Amino acid sequence: MKAHVITDAVFCLHADIETTDLFEGIWPIPSGVSLNSYVVRGEKIALIDLIRDWINAPRQIEDALNSIGIDFEAVDYLILNHMEPDHTGWLREFREKNTKAEIITTAKGLNLIKSFYKTPETGLRAVKDGDTLDLGKGNVLTFYETPNLHWPETMITWDNASGTLFTCDAFGSFGKLGERVFDDEFNKEEHVFFEEESLRYYANIVSSFSVFVERAVKKLESLDIRCVAPSHGIVWRKDPQTIISRYLRYATYAKGPAEQEIALIWGSMYGYTRRGLDAVIRGIEREGVPYTLHRIPDENISYVLSAAYKSAGLVLAMPTYEYAMFPPMAYVLDIFHRKHITGKTVLRIGSWGWVGGAKKDYEAAIEGLKWNHLESLEWAGAPGEAEQIALEARGQELARAVKRN
Ligand code: FEO
């Protein structure tokens, strides 16, 4: 990999990760992910954000550094905007190669360095909001604390000379980059792919912290941002506002209103709940509202979460299982709770065999999510004609409510 030139003093280095490993040990990345680091070169050299030793990432970054005539030993400052190990896991190895570089992060970040990496407590500097670092030749970096974006210690680094904002996880996405990194180098189809992957990344990683996304954007709004440089995904030099606006839109989904779409999340043991769901779909289609279907547990929660997060309406279709909720739905609702999937308009339906029982379990699981509920509909065994008519009407009612969103 070669370094990518942002200006004659600022460079992007990236490692493409292709793996069957799960990101954070939870989220699948079938199209990979990039780990981006950056160099700002004045009289001194700053390396911004690191990598973990994952699918040859250190070698990829080293090759990119070498392509601009730098090696790890030449780095004067290592700036760590965020301490999650995808950006810091290689810290001990970096330290073995470079014993002189000052490692710069927030005070909370220093605590995490000590707890994760047990490094000697030398060569570490804590910075706070508004502190600067003069690299010489007109390159002055400014640090802005952006707590809970998405960890408590996070900060964003600003290079005034180039107008580049180094944001680490914020404004990032899943998806490897290949030979290109800049927004103007990808075609429309590729941008559609990265938009889907940025939504999934946001829903999976950032959604619980949406209020802090809004707070950070507000804090930085006076800067003349000419390039947004995240540590995952595309570098936005042509139209940085695209990704900033996109993230602000995603942040609003956390409190509603979301998109006028319906995510139908369903599980069925022998097809009777699915038969009822088909009637609901007929009602939705009559209103022309777009919908997506997500069978659980077949579909990975990462994708279910992404669809639910952006949709104003949800249908949760599940059978009663041993007097309680269908277990895969219980897992989905637990994740929804953790990721703050709030403010939705929701219809719950399902079939039961001997006796119902999902209701009580369900109501306990969704407490606090501030959902607007349509009246639930359950039936014994297969849905009869009267039930199918009622289910179709309920689907239409939901679609109309979503259109009013
Ligand atoms: Fe990319 Fe929160 O680490």
Side-chain angles (χ1 to χ4, degrees):
M1 291 282 189
K2 283 189 176 173
H4 300 261
V5 178
I6 297 175
T7 69
D8 58 5
V10 184
F11 304 88
C12 170
L13 327 168
H14 85 284
D16 269 340
I17 307 298
E18 293 180 84
T19 179
T20 54
D21 292 354
L22 300 173
F23 193 83
E24 289 191 335
I26 308 175
W27 318 111
I29 42 172
S31 301
V33 67
S34 73
L35 301 178
N36 306 345
S37 298
Y38 297 89
V39 166
V40 181
R41 182 162 60 182
E43 284 152 8
K44 299 284 190 181
I45 294 171
L47 177 62
I48 300 176
D49 292 326
L50 204 56
I51 30 71
R52 61 180 277 211
D53 190 359
W54 194 23
I55 317 296
N56 208 23
R59 186 57 195 265
Q60 293 184 63
I61 295 295
E62 186 169 36
D63 286 350
L65 263 182
N66 293 164
S67 77
I68 51 172
I70 296 174
D71 54 27
F72 284 117
E73 291 83 344
V75 170
D76 297 294
Y77 303 102
L78 174 61
I79 295 164
L80 299 175
N81 285 316
H82 170 38
M83 286 303 304
E84 192 162 6
D86 51 332
H87 308 290
T88 58
W90 200 64
L91 187 57
R92 286 184 72 90
E93 291 85 348
F94 172 85
R95 213 22 153 184
E96 283 166 15
K97 286 178 178 286
N98 182 327
T99 53
K100 67 160 193 190
E102 196 168 22
I103 299 173
I104 296 175
T105 184
T106 59
K108 284 181 179 166
L110 289 193
N111 288 337
L112 290 172
I113 288 178
K114 290 166 194 169
S115 59
F116 273 106
Y117 304 111
K118 316 297 183 201
T119 53
E121 295 180 20
T122 57
L124 307 177
R125 188 201 304 188
V127 288
K128 58 187 185 316
D129 215 31
D131 283 357
T132 58
L133 177 69
D134 190 346
L135 301 175
K137 296 185 180 173
N139 297 102
V140 179
L141 302 179
T142 306
F143 306 107
Y144 293 100
E145 292 180 74
T146 52
N148 301 314
L149 195 59
H150 62 124
W151 278 19
E153 86 298 352
T154 49
M155 66 177 190
I156 281 176
T157 298
W158 166 246
D159 175 43
N160 194 54
S162 65
T164 305
L165 200 59
F166 303 100
T167 60
C168 202
D169 279 356
F171 311 117
S173 83
F174 293 134
K176 68 180 190 292
L177 293 170
E179 295 300 317
R180 298 160 294 159
V181 300
F182 295 113
D183 55 339
D184 50 280
E185 297 179 304
F186 293 98
N187 64 32
K188 205 171 168 182
E189 199 173 75
E190 290 165 328
H191 272 289
V192 169
F193 163 79
F194 278 109
E195 174 153 19
E196 284 171 5
E197 285 293 73
S198 62
L199 171 67
R200 189 167 69 90
Y201 176 86
Y202 189 101
N204 292 183
I205 312 286
V206 187
S207 60
S208 306
F209 303 93
S210 290
V211 67
F212 299 99
V213 172
E214 291 176 323
R215 215 170 275 174
V217 172
K218 181 87 183 150
K219 182 174 188 169
L220 303 171
E221 69 183 357
S222 64
L223 300 176
D224 178 20
I225 299 168
R226 298 194 292 282
C227 181
V228 169
S231 289
H232 302 291
I234 290 175
V235 181
W236 300 82
R237 68 177 176 188
K238 180 167 183 279
D239 190 4
Q241 280 307 318
T242 293
I243 192 65
I244 295 171
S245 303
R246 187 182 294 172
Y247 259 58
L248 283 175
R249 176 160 51 87
Y250 295 163
T252 66
Y253 295 164
K255 53 192 176 189
E259 303 295 325
Q260 290 186 353
E261 296 177 20
I262 299 171
L264 297 94
I265 301 160
W266 68 282
S268 189
M269 294 164 68
Y270 297 105
Y272 300 110
T273 292
R274 174 65 211 224
R275 212 179 286 176
L277 183 66
D278 286 339
V280 172
I281 291 170
R282 288 195 292 277
I284 292 170
E285 287 179 341
R286 198 175 301 143
E287 291 297 319
V289 171
Y291 64 88
T292 53
L293 279 163
H294 310 275
R295 183 172 191 174
I296 56 167
D298 309 50
E299 184 170 309
N300 188 281
I301 188 65
S302 171
Y303 297 88
V304 176
L305 183 57
S306 185
Y309 185 64
K310 83 161 180 173
S311 300
L314 301 178
V315 176
L316 303 176
M318 70 190 121
T320 293
Y321 185 92
E322 294 179 353
Y323 308 103
M325 267 196 292
F326 188 54
M329 190 65 84
Y331 173 63
V332 166
L333 293 180
D334 178 48
I335 294 290
F336 282 6
H337 237 293
R338 291 163 189 260
K339 298 295 179 182
H340 300 196
I341 305 301
T342 57
K344 306 297 181 189
T345 301
V346 182
L347 170 64
R348 179 181 68 83
I349 65 165
S351 163
W352 50 269
W354 325 301
V355 66
K359 182 172 184 284
K360 191 175 165 200
D361 205 12
Y362 172 81
E363 286 175 352
I366 62 159
E367 203 175 330
L369 287 177
K370 298 176 189 162
W371 285 353
N372 171 35
H373 269 96
L374 274 62
E375 189 185 349
S376 298
L377 214 155
E378 295 176 295
W379 59 93
E385 193 180 335
E387 280 138 351
Q388 296 217 26
I389 290 168
L391 284 159
E392 197 168 323
R394 210 72 103 239
Q396 193 167 5
E397 188 187 343
L398 175 65
R400 284 177 180 158
V402 164
K403 284 203 273 194
R404 291 194 296 271
N405 187 269

